[in-house]
Amino acid sequence: MSGKSVTRRKKTKKGRKRRVLKYILGSILLGGFLCGLFVYSVYVGLWGPLPDYQELKEIRNYEASELYSEDGELLGKYFIENRTNVKFNNISTNAINALIATEDVRFYEHQGVDKISLLRVFFKTLLLGDRSSGGGSTLSQQLAKNLYPREEQQVSFMPVIKLKEIFTAHRLEQIYSKPEILTLYLNTVSFGERTYGIESAAQKYFSVSASDLTIPQAATLIGMLKGPSWYNPRLHPERAIQRRNTVIHQMVKYDFLHEEEGERAKETALELNYKAVNHYTGLAPYLREKIRRDASEIIAAYNTTHGTAYNLYKDRLILTTTLNADMQRYAEAAVKEHMKKLQHEFYTHWENREPWYNKPQVLEQAIQNSPVYLSLKGQGYNEKQIAEIMNRKKAMMVYSAYQGEASAEMSSIDSLKHYLKILHPGMIAVEPNSGKIRVWIGDLDYKYFQYDQVEAPRQVGSVFKPVVYSAAIHNGAQLDAYYKNEQKTYKEYEDWTPRNSDNDYTGYYTLKGALSKSINTIAVEVLLQTGIEKTIVHARNLGIKSELPQYPSLALGSADIPLSEMILPYMCFANAGKLMTPYYLLEIRDQSGTVLYQAPVPEAKEVLPSQEAYVMSNILSAVINEGTGRRLRTTYGLKNELAGKTGTTQNQADGWFIGYNSRIVVGIRVGANDRNIHFNSIRLGQGAHMALPIFGLFMRECLKDPAYARWESLSFPLVPVAEQKELDTPIFQEKMNLFERIGNKKLKKRALVHPTDTVVKKEKKGFFRKIGNLFRKKKEEE
């Protein structure tokens, strides 16, 4: 082969190499240019706009609004995202150190992008497939991702998303200091269960503030960031501890902890102090829901008037209620203790029979009104098919009287039967001299029973009798007069015959005696002596707005009145005849302290002469000392001065008790939602058994509290001498002779006229008519 040929081949070979190199170099340059162009296109927003500097300066997370009791306890939150932002100085250094050691150890060295981490991810993860090498995102990039979630991006192309996060992270680093970025991050990140931010997480899982997090607690929460559900310490404690210890190991590795300190922290038990924050749990959920509805309307009206845009669920408004957290806690504990026992008695009472055994229509109606039945009916199933489906057993969560929420194997029919037999309590406590509501219990469990029993109109029974007796006294009834306890049939009222619960119709009682013993026959006579219309007018003056039947059964509490309304007359008696409108929302403020709402101070309205109010408290004290409420003395050992009245409705459908001292009025009602379901025994179904024990348990706990110990020494104002002399008359006489009956004047010659009364114009009467009326009056008084 000639030398020219060899030379030619070498040149050709070199030419090829040059062309290949040029091609490679050109490809690299072209690729670099295209990559640069691609990066630039992302930067200028061709793949969707990047947040600009102004937008990033105005970052604002949604924050939950908070509801506090008047004594400063957080009762609940209203939120889309459960978050409470905190400042850097209010975050434990343990949490900061754990975060940096675990998520971004070079946080203080980079400007938003950690090049070393990116190279590690490129070579180990992408080229070598080593998934254990971790991610390359800095805290700033993670913050960008949290602020602008990937699922909200306009494109799903991962390089575009990552570039956007890098650019956003770099801008964040230019705007905010390192402590500010850490604060933004820890206020933004999710900790599972709709909980956002380190402060809300610390309160939820450990019941502490973020500033007080210990090393193990901080490590547990920071460990959750890798997988909030997977490492949830409530649901998966073993995983959470393992992850916590990994975080502690990282803190030791990067010199945030000494090795000995880290080992001690690893050996610490999880020690959760979990406090769920939702609409079902916590103190006073029924009142919290009522306040939520009212606050939304108040805020909307404020926005309209002032041109603002406050939002209850996003703007961390601070709401304050009149509720007292300790009193609410005592009340809820009393309800829980008594209702568990009462429900057990109810089940035992009926044994193997259903409470509706003689009224099958009760169950039939419940089935036909159930959502399951209505849904199946709407889908076109016939009655036989519906019955078959509704009788199939399946796993479900139900409310249990013994343990709260419980899992059970039940059919839909079984579930309906179960809930029909549940007894439901309602309880409210109000300061009579201020109108502030201190306790509100709407039912057993808000998750399962949303209907608020405090506002449910129900037959009131004998708790209405004090209104009847107050009307009688106001219209001139003598306190020392005697009324015969006899059963009568009122022909003018469709042959109606009221009866006493004990079927005893002997003796004579004063008003005080008749009310303390809750004698039905005398209550009706007192009502008719006063006049039904006058009694209704008097009830209106005392705050009752519900419809009242113009029938003698009104005296026995046949009217349907909510508990929240039925306590108003008792507030008048406790507050010297002055009625204060009850209220529960004190104020709403924004974070800067601007007042959006301030409750107007209710004006005291005098609806009863003070001496009459004192007389009523004296009479109602007898109910506690020697009448139907005496269990408060004998069983619950209450020695402080109290007044009140028990109430039992027709067929024992509801049991009531309203009791008070001069500082607090407490109303309680207990009954099944369907009035056909009840005890078949007056002993078990009376208010003294169904409702009064809750008052006893509640009051006993209050008196143990130093804040309310002074209630022990409270007393009601003294009754004027003349009325006291009448009240001191023996409340019962077995018999009355002729002379005693003649002298037994039931009405004063001149009844007091109060400014609130409706004045009826007297008609002129002739001589013979006056004589006739005189004899009629004489007959009525006997």
Side-chain angles (χ1 to χ4, degrees), residues 102-103 218-228 231 240 243-244 247:
T102 309
E103 298 292 331
T220 301
L221 294 181
I222 297 303
M224 292 178 70
L225 300 180
K226 188 175 182 180
Y231 295 110
R243 178 62 183 161
R244 177 199 71 179
V247 173

Side-chain angles (χ1 to χ4, degrees), residues 479 512 614-615 618 717-729:
L479 298 173
K512 184 174 183 177
Y614 303 157
V615 166
N618 181 288
L718 294 175
V719 174
V721 176
E723 282 81 2
Q724 185 60 57
K725 185 177 179 182
E726 293 180 12
L727 287 168
D728 288 340
T729 302

Side-chain angles (χ1 to χ4, degrees), residues 98 191 198 205-206 213-228 231-234 236-237 239-245 247-248 251 265 268-272:
F191 288 89
I198 191 74
Y205 293 104
F206 296 105
L213 286 168
T214 63
I215 292 168
Q217 291 170 343
T220 301
L221 294 181
I222 297 303
M224 292 178 70
L225 300 180
K226 188 175 182 180
Y231 295 110
N232 185 310
R234 179 179 69 88
H236 311 293
R239 288 181 205 160
I241 290 174
Q242 187 178 11
R243 178 62 183 161
R244 177 199 71 179
N245 292 346
V247 173
I248 293 171
M251 294 175 76
T268 305
L270 192 56
E271 294 180 350
L272 283 186

Side-chain angles (χ1 to χ4, degrees), residues 469-489:
Y469 282 68
S470 175
I473 293 168
H474 189 68
N475 284 277
Q478 291 274 47
L479 298 173
D480 57 355
Y482 287 94
Y483 292 78
K484 188 177 182 181
N485 175 23
E486 61 178 336
Q487 192 171 33
K488 290 183 180 180
T489 297

Side-chain angles (χ1 to χ4, degrees), residues 542-615:
L542 297 183
I544 301 296
K545 296 179 181 177
S546 298
E547 185 177 346
L548 300 175
Q550 295 192 3
Y551 198 82
S553 61
L554 175 66
L556 309 184
S558 60
D560 287 342
I561 303 173
L563 179 58
S564 57
E565 190 177 306
M566 195 59 243
I567 61 166
L568 297 178
Y570 293 80
M571 288 176 62
C572 297
F573 303 151
N575 193 35
K578 298 181 180 66
L579 178 60
M580 303 291 288
T581 303
Y583 68 107
Y584 46 79
L585 182 58
L586 280 171
E587 66 175 22
I588 304 174
R589 295 175 180 264
D590 68 9
Q591 293 183 58
S592 65
T594 302
V595 177
L596 310 187
Y597 170 79
Q598 188 86 47
V601 178
E603 295 183 8
K605 181 182 178 183
E606 186 179 353
V607 296
L608 200 64
S610 59
Q611 66 268 26
E612 291 183 17
Y614 303 157
V615 166

Side-chain angles (χ1 to χ4, degrees), residues 513-528:
L515 187 55
S516 67
K517 303 298 182 182
S518 205
I519 308 295
N520 288 342
T521 54
I522 294 177
V524 174
E525 279 296 288
V526 170
L527 171 70
L528 294 177

